[in-house]
Amino acid sequence: MSALENTSPKLVALQHALEHTGHLVPAQNPLDRFVHHNPLHAFEHLPFDEAVEEAAQVFGTEPWWPEASYQQAFATGRIRERDLTWAIERAVKPGPVAGVVERTDLARARLRFPIEGLRGEAVDWRLTETPALREVRQDLPGEVRACLVAEAGGDAARAMRALWDVAERRAPGLARHVVPPASGVRVRDLLVDAGRADTDRLVHPVLIRWSAGFLDHGVSYWPMAHRDQPFVQAFAAHFAGGVDIGRPWLRTARQIARRVSTEHWTAEDLLLHVLEAFGHEAAAWDDVLLRSAQALSGWAGMFQRLSERPDTAPEHLGIHTTLADFLAVRLLLDLSAAEYELGAGSGTCMARASALSRKQAASEEPDRAWSLFQLAQILGLGAHRLGELSDAQLQTLYDEARALDDWTRRRIWHEAYEQRFRVETLDAVGVHTRRVSDRKAPAVRVQCAFCIDDREESMRRLLEETAPWVGTYGVAGNYGISMYYKGVQHGHPVALGPAGFEPRHLVVEQATGGAPSQTRLSALAHHQLAVSSQTLFRGAMVALGGALSAVPLSMRLLAPKLHAGLIRRPMPTETELVYEREGDEKDEHGLYVGFSLAEQIDIVMGTLEFMSLLRDFAPLVCCFGHGSSSMNNPHEAAHDCGACGGGRGGPNARLFARMANDPRVRAGLAERGVHIPDETWFVGGYHNTADDAVELYDLHRVPATHQALLAETRTALDEARALDALERCRKFENVPLGVTAAEALEHVENRNEDLAQPRPEYGHCTNAICFVGRREWSRGLFLDRRAFLCSYDPDVDPDGDILGRLLAMAVPVGAGISLEYWFSVVDPTGYGCGTKLPHNITGMVGVMDGHQSDLRTGLPWQMVELHEPVRLLCVVEATTERLLEIAGKNPAVGRLVTGGWVQLASLDPQTGELQFFQDGGFVPWRPENTSLPRVPSSQAWFAGTRGLLPPATIVDDSEVG
Amino acid sequence: MNPDTLLGLLGLIALFMPVAASLALGLPWVLGAQLSEATIRRTVGTSFGASFLACLAIDVLLLLDPGAAHSVTLAHWMALPSYAVDARVVFDLPAAVLMTLTALLCGLIGAFSASYLHQDPGFRRFFVLLPLFASGMMAVACGETLDLIYAGWEVVGIASALLIAYFQYREAPVRHGLRAFAVYRVCDVALLTAAVLLHHHAGEASLDAATAGHLGDNEALWVALLLVIAIMGKAAAFPFTGWLPRAMEGPTPSSAIFYGALSVHAAPFLLIRAWPLLEDQLVARGALAAIALLTAAHATMVGRVQTDVKSMLAYASVTQVAVILVEVSLGFTTLALVHMTGHAILRTWQLLRAPSLLHDHHELVSRLGGGRPPRGTLWERLLPVPVQRFGYRVAMERWFVDDLAASALLGKLWSAFTLLDRIDRAWVALLSGKSSEEAA
Amino acid sequence: MSLDVRAAAAALVVLALVLARSRSHARSRGLVVGVGLVLLGIALAVEGAPDWLIRVDPVSQPRLIACGVGLMAVFAVLPRRFSSAENVVGLVFLALAHIGLVVAPEGPPVMTAWALSCVLTALALPKGPARRLAIPYLTLAAGAGVAGLVLGGTAGQALVVLAVGVRLGVFPFHSWVVGAHEFAPMALAVGVTAPMGAIGLVARSPLGFDGEIAVLAIGGLAVAALITAGLAVVQTGLSRAVGFLTVSIATVVFLGVLDADSIGHLGGLMMWSLTSLSLLGMGLVAAALQSRIGDVDLRDYRGLLHRTPTFAALFLLFSMAAVGAPGTADFASEDLVLHGGIGHHPVLLLLFIAAISAQAYGALHLFFRVFFGPPEAGFVPDALRRERTVLLAIAAVLVIAGLAPQLLLDGWLPNTDAVTSLVP
């Protein structure tokens, strides 16, 4: 049988179903190429509100925070009364309900005072064991309570008793709302509904084991055989022959596997066969495949991801993974288990399973009398007033209250929650930028470019505070370079460049000084020890001497940094980048070896445009890439530079500096109108955001004339990084609040080597703002490491071309990061990967929870716990017309903005006036506050605090008077 | 002071400081009080510190008088006119080794977990259970009579089950915790039976040579065999191996200490302790060797195909425990002690590093200058390809043991009891006139 | 009488006063506290009472205390809506009948007490399926018991054992006990079945273990305990599961009490009192949960831990105590029973140990099912103060008796000879 023999409409339907499913499985890279992306990428065509709720239905996740979290935010003042009012007015049409209450008041009461949905026994218990019938709800405001008891002459017990009697009497008259149980589409769902065994319990262990075997990139000692064939064939080859004991449920699967092997079925063949055997209608295939994939969405996603982007695999093993293969095997096992569970019988599985009785009848709404009793209380309706409502009035009131269901309430709460953040931020920007003309632009002697990353916000601010003669710039940390880079410390080339593209160039780092040579041998010995310890005989030998590992064990636990220093291998002192290409030579993998001059000029030009640094070059320009190193952290790469595709961007910065210093390149730039003065020197550098180390490259090339300035810069950088460590430490609860900057630096240096530290750094946690504009607008504004800062100067971009490209890069990247955090904190186990404590690295590609589970995608709780779920607020220094034009031209940006996936505000380059994009158009921003706290330094503002801090203006020396 | 009195005092500290910590943290829980992480950290730190120092002091006292075994009665637990149970402990080389190891590793893991579990909702639960586990291990280490050892053994079992299920909001850890407990219980039947038999026939349940002398041939053999069965659960011996990799559900540090380091080694330790009884029982020793060899073959083969780091380490752990059991069966008890100690520490270190696998792998590849790290090739060269394929399949399915147990034994039991329950419900419906809710 | 018993009694009085102050349903609670205090008072004061009126010995005295505590505990946890006068009076009289059983002198008084206790048990159950189900069983128990006492001899003894077995719900006579848990409010069912007053009938006349029939009976009981433990595991609802576990554990206690060996018999008696307490505790926690959310469905893990951490900790403690985990009271008594007569019979020993192992698994299984798993979405209130106070008091007794059983034994020891003398 081959796919061609099938009638083609079926094949088309199958292809469609596969494509549909492929869109909806998580698109996460293998762990060491972690790149942030919007988990709801497939829903971006919808407005944000609708998308989250639709996705919640499809994925079975939470669309918003739990109501209790918003309640708490309200209690602590994070959401204010006026925010709530604003959100309610946007969400609810004003007007009277049943003539007794204003609709907005009803909504407010429902939001502020939750009504528990009690059923059965719980109601009786509440009535008899709690003061529910003796006292009015204690959380209600005094006037409402007074109003309730007034009827009974101030006797709360009598009032409540009477109210309950009325509620109990009237409740049966209310229309019943019955929620039909969700109907499953897989046979397994039908079986579970009918109270039969969950066939996934049988299928998953086998499926996970073999999928993991197939995708293993270097954990197991014996790799799986037949991996040169597609998964379906490899699986069938192992299953068709051989023994199988104690698993009668696999009989059908084995029979079919034999045919798959002998008749060389493709995944599609097998899928068609199995879907037919199940008895699924072609119209249901979309759903069936999707639900089947979702039962193990992480694994399905990994098969899909590695087929789309095989280059993201940790190693190039040449294995072919497709989603179709995974699903074919999955459905084969599902079928086998279902056949077994259903036993002998005629008809398809689907028919037989549908015939089983359903366990769950439709579930009824919670006790209506209790709901009514509570509703009356929160609305301040006493027994008398409730009792005299007509049936129709009561029904209307009850229905309207019910319509404000869980999701609706949380959506309104969320609006209010984000509104407070918007007010705070935009007001701060408004106030701060209004004073930009008051501030003297400092004379800049050194320019430092950092990644737009939110973690560099504090570094830039603190560097400018420490050294007012430094001007900083924000640019994507790949510096326009996309390359495979093989450093002296790299075993094989790593991709460094924007996540969306596979690099086509290779750059190699070569040691020029004496390279230490003994590392290979010691590494081999180390490796052999580690592998041996897992075997039988050699393992026994190793274990006999195992007591020696008490030394590294206790040292690493008690003095991590010291231990790390002892075992750190010596690195070559001097290296050179080999990056020049004359002709068109390619290496064996088809990569260009280095960049041609023309390419170099393009790169430098593009990058300088991207940071709007096209004139006024200072004598020294430092360019920093960034990355992060940590121990015991499978998600290490998630802390690296997103612009480098989850890599460490030091080499990009270094290469960029090398290119920009090249006179030939400068000549090329001059032709395009960018004149870099001869006395300007570029230095590449690297900032480790975990231990705040700052490294500068190629210092031997720096001309003698620049040495003094360089030394001064390094001092400033050292001071700034210590302060940066201090600012970061305030969020680490295990660091006392009173530490000095030096102690903080010491702490973070230990922290990233600490095995016991699940939070080496907080990564992009708390990111919320994206600022695109001149640094003058934002310089000296304390943004608490929450802002992506892109440098953009409208003066050098009259036609908006640079801005278009900049936003096309920055908005999707920023949105990807911000949304991944948003979802991972809103539903830490549905969208995030839960706590990292039980994580278990599998096949070098992902983590499972504990012994065997789905491959977990998203961010671990420890990365996001401090995050506030607010959508990225982009403040762009451009006119509204310019922004609308760009959004119109670039659908990727336009969709995010109009769908509300990011919030957009325009900061007028001339007037500094703010406009906010809302409901399809820009509206002038009406500030709530007109002043900002003024503090002498960042440290003065953040000292002694833990939580998120509101923005503040740092009043520097240049402003005195 | 009389050295035995001093030893008794130190033993009490070593044994009861962890219990005290556990109680001190558990009691406020039922009273509904909250404790700060700092308080918990300090309490556990103090107790493990004191316990560790006491162990060191015991070591020193024993070193002063090498080769001696001090039997000390800590307390009279229960005394009736014709029957008495004392909490009697013995301090000798094996006891000192395991006690020191327990205090050291639990202390280090406590320190590790205090920051690893920072802000985890189960922080307190973990630190109620960790000292409880430690005290159980201590009782196993220094208990002289099987009664005390059994008590410790049980405590270790319950603490294990609860810590495997630490992430209780997911189903898999809960199921696997129960599974481990079930295996423990099955084997505990043998241990308790051995204890009672010993008590009956020898008058007391102490494991020394004197007791061995009181036993008849038959009884001695039965006791020895029961002891071999008793340790199979904790040692994850074949065919019980399946629970151990599944136990890797808890947080990394507790997995490290339980299934890498201490809990699995309680098994060979018990046999070392019972050596005077075991020595002459060649049949029992033969059975032990056979079980251990089978376990070693099973674990090393299955371990080779594991694709996740924790399962790999779990099977590696079982492999070495099996080797240690072989050493014990051959009578090399001192070698076994050394092996045990080394293995415990090594495996703890490896398990704690397990989440750094990617980091370490990159480091390794870069030091090697590229390419794939070399892997073993011995069997690949020796065995023909079809045999390898067959072996791979069998290893991947873990020799079908768990499936067989599930389908042939547990499944049947389950259906039998379900049937019985259905009959009962029908009977009840008949008598009461009201059908039971779920007469299905 | 030892000081410790007095101290315990004093603690109980304090507890009673706390309960009496509890605001909810003060009147019936006051009544119960009064009765409980009277029972305690009797326990403390009756040493001088004449033999023909009341038998005060190591068998009856701890039972008086246990009954007093039990009664107060049940009423502390009994939800207010079940504290009707009918239920209160029913339980009080049932307790009195049980007391009568252990304190009544031999002969007609015992027979009367037995028959009365069977009738009152039926009456204490609410009308409806629970009572309908119980009546045939209790009739059988009453008839067999009275007949056995009248007959005497081996046949009589066999009848008495049968009667107590039925009254305890030993498999295959378990249905009515399990049914009571299922159909009646659980706090009531626990009150009716858990204190196991019925064992009093055989407490003074253990079986010799050497007779073949006795060995058969013991073996049968061990198997019955195993089967009911297995049944507890496959249940889909908490109430039935607790019912089966109770029955299974009661069977083991029965087995211990039947042990003629003086050590074993003492262990059995100790187990009788303490297991009553731990089973009571376990059942009451389950009852408290039932009154909050209805019968807990065990087909899925329920995840109540984060809602009711106190109940979780207590349930774990009580269930582990009931199956004799180290550190709890029943560990000591189990030890005694094992080292008693059962130890002489390797096969019985193995069966007995297998049964308690299975119970331990069943108990932990139950705990995991109820408290672990995906967190319960709705709000479930944790222990109220009155519940917490009572349950903690029981827990304290169990733990103290477990760590230092001698404290407890000292209360009995002066009379051990008396116990031994009971053995024929």
Side-chain angles (χ1 to χ4, degrees), chain C residues 73 77 280-282 284-285 288 311 314 318 383 386-396:
Chain C
V77 176
L280 191 69
M282 184 178 83
L284 288 180
V285 173
F311 279 144
L314 288 170
F318 290 135
R386 61 165 208 266
E387 291 164 337
R388 193 196 302 269
T389 315
V390 172
L391 295 174
L392 267 179
I394 299 180

Side-chain angles (χ1 to χ4, degrees), chain C residues 260-280:
Chain C
D261 181 294
S262 62
I263 295 294
H265 189 67
L266 185 61
L269 291 180
M270 199 167 145
M271 213 173 181
W272 178 27
S273 292
L274 294 172
T275 309
S276 304
L277 281 186
S278 44
L279 278 180
L280 191 69

Side-chain angles (χ1 to χ4, degrees), chain A residues 32 201 209-210 221-222 225 244 246-247 315 489 491 520 527 533 535 569 632 636 733 756 759 840 843, chain B residues 115 118-119 171 175 304 307-308 320 347 350 355-356 366 368 370 372 374 376 380 393 396-397 400 407:
Chain A
D32 55 358
R201 286 248 182 104
R209 209 176 282 165
W210 288 91
Y221 189 85
W222 277 353
D244 212 37
R247 295 191 299 186
E315 239 182 283
Q489 82 277 25
R520 193 182 146 76
H527 173 63
S533 76
T535 60
R569 75 190 138 130
N632 237 10
E636 194 180 5
E733 279 214 21
R759 301 164 183 81
N840 182 5
Chain B
S115 74
H118 174 54
Q119 286 187 343
E171 207 181 302
R175 266 198 325 224
R304 274 159 206 257
T307 50
D308 63 281
Q320 289 310 309
R347 212 55 85 193
Q350 285 182 334
S356 304
S366 86
L368 292 177
R372 308 177 63 185
E380 282 74 358
R393 173 81 200 292
M396 197 70 162
E397 306 295 0
F400 303 104
S407 64

Side-chain angles (χ1 to χ4, degrees), chain A residues 732-745:
Chain A
F732 299 143
E733 279 214 21
N734 58 345
V735 185
L737 278 173
V739 293
T740 64
E743 286 163 347
L745 194 58

Side-chain angles (χ1 to χ4, degrees), chain B residues 29-32 77-83 85 125 147 150-151 154-155 158 161-162 165 168-169 171 174-175 177-178 181-182 185 189 192-193 195-197 199-200 414 417-418 420-421 424-425 427-428 431-434 436-438, chain C residues 129 132-133 137 174-175 182-183 227 230-231 234-236 240 244 263 266 299 301 305 309-310 313 316 326 331-332 335-336 338-340 343-344 349-350 353 357 360-361 364-365 368 372-375 388 392 402-403 405-406 409 413:
Chain B
W29 182 343
V30 275
L31 291 174
W77 187 57
M78 199 159 69
L80 300 174
S82 59
Y83 176 82
V85 182
R125 189 151 41 95
D147 300 315
Y150 176 74
E154 281 286 270
V155 169
I158 295 172
L162 289 170
Q168 38 79 21
Y169 44 81
E171 207 181 302
V174 181
R175 266 198 325 224
L178 264 182
F181 189 70
R185 289 311 299 188
V189 172
L192 193 52
T193 312
V196 177
L197 280 184
H199 213 288
H200 261 285
W414 183 271
F417 278 116
T418 323
L420 201 57
D421 186 47
D424 185 58
R425 285 173 194 270
W427 172 245
V428 166
L431 278 189
S432 68
K434 177 171 179 177
S436 187
E437 289 166 86
E438 303 289 335
Chain C
R132 272 203 299 280
L133 188 59
Y137 287 92
H174 60 279
S175 300
E182 187 180 2
F183 297 127
I227 291 176
L231 280 168
V234 301
Q235 290 311 310
T236 54
R240 269 177 75 89
F244 273 115
I263 295 294
L266 185 61
R299 275 169 301 195
Y301 293 90
L305 176 69
T310 307
L316 182 65
F331 185 66
D335 194 60
L336 288 178
L338 282 170
H339 288 120
H344 296 297
L349 178 68
L350 209 62
I353 292 177
S357 280
Y361 175 78
L364 200 72
H365 165 91
F368 276 27
F372 287 178
R388 193 196 302 269
L392 267 179
L403 293 177
Q406 199 63 33
L409 283 171
L413 274 183

Side-chain angles (χ1 to χ4, degrees), chain A residues 34 36 450-462 625-630 633 635-644 646-649 686-692 720-721 723-725 727-728 731-732 760-769 783-789 817 821 863:
Chain A
F34 193 100
H36 292 286
F450 289 91
C451 186
I452 60 174
D453 197 295
D454 47 316
R455 287 167 290 182
E456 301 291 19
E457 186 270 333
S458 60
M459 188 68 182
R460 287 175 63 179
R461 168 167 40 81
L462 292 162
H626 71 100
S628 166
S629 69
S630 48
N633 184 10
H635 289 80
E636 194 180 5
H639 292 308
D640 283 333
C641 178
C644 294
R648 295 179 187 164
Y686 174 68
H687 177 208
N688 183 337
T689 52
D691 66 0
D692 271 313
R721 74 190 178 98
L723 283 171
D724 191 42
E727 187 174 330
R728 287 174 51 213
K731 292 192 181 147
F732 299 143
E761 62 159 299
Y762 270 122
H764 295 285
C765 197
T766 72
N767 80 81
I769 307 166
L783 288 174
D784 203 13
R785 295 169 60 82
R786 303 190 71 176
F788 297 93
L789 299 175
I817 295 174
Y821 274 81
M863 267 173 86

Side-chain angles (χ1 to χ4, degrees), chain B residues 241-256:
Chain B
T241 318
W243 72 264
L244 189 86
R246 287 183 177 80
M248 297 289 172
E249 292 282 9
T252 310
S254 75
S255 298

Side-chain angles (χ1 to χ4, degrees), chain C residues 152-209:
Chain C
T154 315
Q157 203 176 28
L159 277 177
V160 168
V161 169
L162 174 72
V164 176
V166 173
R167 178 62 185 74
L168 288 178
V170 170
F171 182 86
F173 305 102
H174 60 279
S175 300
W176 77 273
V177 176
V178 178
H181 280 81
E182 187 180 2
F183 297 127
M186 234 164 107
L188 266 186
V190 167
V192 172
T193 57
M196 299 188 294
I199 287 183
L201 196 61
V202 288
R204 294 187 180 81
S205 53
L207 290 173
F209 269 11

